Amino acid sequence: MDKGKRWLKAEDAATYVGVRVDQLRRLVRTGRLPPPSHSLGPRSPRWDRLALDAVFEVKQVKPDHVTPSGMAHALLAEHNAKRRRKEQVEAFRRREPVPR
């Protein structure tokens, strides 16, 4: 994949984002990634590299505080939810009060 290309095929867009093609399509379906353009025809979807970059950009609120936005925020929330669930399961197995 040429780093200078702006419009990416599904395989290139998936590689650029770091997922498989089926995951890329699922992320588009769920609204976590922007949909492709079909300007070349219905069988030639192309993803805008700049739109994909915008999803992953990080906004700087204060000089010492970074706030994730878009996809980064969604992935962070999903990771935290899985971690909390794992802690709850481990506490249950040890028969301790469940952390909330």
Side-chain angles (χ1 to χ4, degrees), residues 1 4-5 9 12 18 46-48 56 59 67 78-79:
M1 175 180 72
K5 283 175 41 176
K9 295 180 181 178
D12 294 334
R46 296 292 190 268
W47 276 262
D48 184 359
F56 287 96
K59 295 179 183 175
T67 302
E78 186 176 323
H79 171 75

Side-chain angles (χ1 to χ4, degrees), residues 11-23:
E11 296 81 16
D12 294 334
T15 301
Y16 188 75
V17 174
V19 297
R20 295 187 318 261
V21 174
D22 61 315
Q23 291 172 318

Side-chain angles (χ1 to χ4, degrees), residues 9-84:
K9 295 180 181 178
E11 296 81 16
D12 294 334
T15 301
Y16 188 75
V17 174
V19 297
R20 295 187 318 261
V21 174
D22 61 315
Q23 291 172 318
L24 175 77
R25 292 191 174 114
R26 186 177 321 120
L27 292 169
V28 169
R29 227 181 7 259
T30 59
R32 294 167 82 181
L33 284 180
S37 169
H38 290 278
S39 61
L40 296 177
R43 292 184 170 192
S44 300
R46 296 292 190 268
W47 276 262
D48 184 359
R49 182 180 48 80
L50 300 179
L52 294 174
D53 286 342
V55 171
F56 287 96
E57 88 177 4
V58 175
K59 295 179 183 175
Q60 191 139 10
V61 179
K62 298 177 186 173
D64 60 340
H65 182 74
V66 175
T67 302
S69 66
M71 182 69 162
H73 180 69
L75 290 173
L76 182 61
E78 186 176 323
H79 171 75
N80 289 336
K82 285 180 182 179
R83 192 186 80 237
R84 278 193 305 275

